[in-house]
Amino acid sequence: MVQYQGMHFNTAFAALADATRRGVLEQLARGDASITDLAGRFEMTLTGMKKHVSVLEGAGLVVTEKVGRVRRCRLGVCRLEEEAAWIERFHQLWSARFDALDRVIAELKSKERRHGRRKGK
Amino acid sequence: MVQYQGMHFNTAFAALADATRRGVLEQLARGDASITDLAGRFEMTLTGMKKHVSVLEGAGLVVTEKVGRVRRCRLGVCRLEEEAAWIERFHQLWSARFDALDRVIAELKSKERRHGRRKGK
DNA sequence: CTGATACTGAACCATACGGTTCAGTATTGC
DNA sequence: GCAATACTGAACCGTATGGTTCAGTATCAG
């Protein structure tokens, strides 16, 4: 759907939308690990963890390399900067709107005060 | 799953993982809109757009209010700050690791240079 | 009252997700 | 060579997602 570019955001945010995967990222930030390590740490089958790692790899958040029979997983180059930037840019638009809104609210409040009564909710 | 807290991150990141929904957020940042407005702008049925708006509302990213027969949608208070903070905190751990890695790489490169040849890949 | 507008809910559909089991294959260690 | 280890792939399962249609309900305009 939507020709709109941003496939990269889709996969990156989707990858972050799972607690296990965020946990894996935090774990990898503390050091590389194998699929077995991660599966053990998150009490999951190897196959299950493999899928999570694949999702993270597909999003470019981790890179893996097979060394002998073990797959070494480590953090990828942080493309998450783009996501943070998106949120940040967005937050600015947002703030601008709320600054405007704040003035309106302040005005309403002062009116209420002048009328000497408050309306809950 | 995972008892692990972070339900809020799950819904927020999941909400952001869809291009249409990110588009809706950007649209709302430029001004409030009704379901009909949004459905028109993103060429989608009312029902389809309603679902997207519900997801965004569930994530606390937008708030809606029914005024007469039209539902007015606007941005919610920006709880996205927490998401940005998560990414930021994470990015710091990440950088720390890459700073260490950078030194190793720099050393390897200087060795390569001393050997007088480069290995493409 | 009547018709148009704006949403809402239920049902359905195809596909994706998070997880499992089971049956391999490739490597390592003795 | 043989067993154990470490992963991998296919198949399956229940649930969620992104979307639709269809049949309402509520509100507004005249």
Side-chain angles (χ1 to χ4, degrees), chain A residues 67-112:
Chain A
V67 179
R69 62 185 165 179
V70 16
R71 178 167 297 275
R72 182 137 293 273
C73 309
R74 58 185 187 76
L75 294 180
V77 176
C78 191
R79 287 167 79 198
L80 226 40
E81 281 170 13
E82 294 172 49
E83 281 66 36
W86 187 88
I87 292 182
E88 185 49 38
R89 178 173 70 78
F90 189 59
H91 186 242
Q92 284 169 7
L93 288 171
W94 214 313
S95 302
R97 270 188 77 63
F98 278 103
D99 286 351
L101 196 60
D102 280 348
R103 285 196 297 278
V104 176
I105 290 173
E107 194 174 336
L108 287 175
K109 278 189 180 163
S110 78
K111 253 180 214 155
E112 267 174 12

Side-chain angles (χ1 to χ4, degrees), chain B residues 1 34-36 46-47 50 66 69 71:
Chain B
M1 57 215 30
S34 67
I35 302 286
T36 300
L46 281 181
T47 313
K50 172 77 184 337
K66 190 121 185 195
R69 63 185 163 175
R71 178 166 298 275

Side-chain angles (χ1 to χ4, degrees), chain A residues 7-8 11-12 15 51-62 79:
Chain A
M7 207 53 198
H8 171 237
T11 55
K51 283 193 182 181
H52 281 305
V53 170
S54 297
V55 171
L56 289 166
E57 196 168 14
L61 299 177
V62 316
R79 287 167 79 198

